[in-house]
Amino acid sequence: MSQEDKQALAASERYEDIRDDILALLMEFEGCRLTAYKCSAGVNTIGWGHTAGVKEGDSISQEEADRMLAEDARAYYEDMRKLVTVPLTRGMAAALTSFCYNLGASYCKTCSLFKELNKGNYAVAAGKFGDYVYAGGVKLAGLVKRRAKEKEMFERDGRPSS
């Protein structure tokens, strides 16, 4: 691995350096609801897309929603880093964290975007964002916008040198 690759990888491993990018992406596309609801995939959700332990009828404060978002974002970032075996730029790490947050890390483990990325096929991986715009078999305009923004962020800083 070249020195530039090591620097890119190290930069993406500092969550605090990209925290604001991740949170901005999530807040833009998740929206916040303080009462539990079923998301487009039929999962009980609350706050900024939080799903763990949510039951119908639950409600939270804005402060709780923001705290959950911060905790969830960090956890999904860490999950994403465990799945990726190639160097990343900061933009790539932020985009992939948003992608994992939306689809779940267990799904990302086997999806074609991560498979191509881990082969070092950065351009092919970037092109895969647009494949993940369906929920329940229906193409959703919100997911089309989200994936376009994630792809833009993924490509924002260029590619780690090889």
Side-chain angles (χ1 to χ4, degrees):
M1 183 180 293
S2 72
Q3 183 63 26
E4 290 167 358
D5 282 347
K6 288 178 186 173
Q7 288 172 339
L9 184 60
S12 71
E13 288 194 71
R14 288 188 302 269
Y15 172 78
E16 292 73 20
D17 291 344
I18 63 169
R19 178 183 180 274
D20 291 345
D21 286 346
I22 292 169
L23 293 177
L25 256 179
L26 295 176
M27 291 172 96
E28 179 178 350
F29 290 105
E30 290 295 332
C32 185
R33 293 194 197 172
L34 302 180
T35 303
Y37 65 98
K38 296 264 188 208
C39 72
S40 57
V43 177
N44 286 329
T45 306
I46 201 164
W48 299 97
H50 180 82
T51 58
V54 178
K55 297 180 297 305
E56 191 173 326
D58 284 353
S59 64
I60 58 173
S61 69
Q62 185 65 55
E63 293 76 24
E64 289 172 299
D66 294 346
R67 179 188 50 75
M68 284 186 216
L69 174 64
E71 291 170 0
D72 290 348
R74 182 180 209 91
Y76 277 98
Y77 170 81
E78 291 169 3
D79 288 343
M80 178 277 300
R81 286 305 306 143
K82 291 174 188 168
L83 297 175
V84 175
T85 60
V86 295
L88 298 175
T89 64
R90 289 171 58 174
M92 288 174 179
L96 293 169
T97 301
S98 172
F99 187 83
C100 280
Y101 192 97
N102 184 235
L103 291 167
S106 60
Y107 180 82
C108 291
K109 185 184 298 188
T110 60
C111 78
S112 60
L113 190 156
F114 276 72
K115 286 180 180 178
E116 290 298 332
L117 179 62
N118 284 330
K119 291 180 198 172
N121 296 332
Y122 292 91
V124 174
K128 295 284 184 183
F129 279 97
D131 294 350
Y132 300 92
V133 295
Y134 297 88
V138 177
K139 187 174 189 175
L140 300 180
L143 287 178
V144 171
K145 285 179 67 175
R146 182 180 188 143
R147 298 299 174 245
K149 181 74 175 213
E150 288 168 344
K151 180 181 184 217
E152 176 186 309
M153 184 163 276
F154 184 87
E155 297 176 319
R156 177 187 74 187
D157 302 324
R159 208 164 95 184
S161 59
S162 33

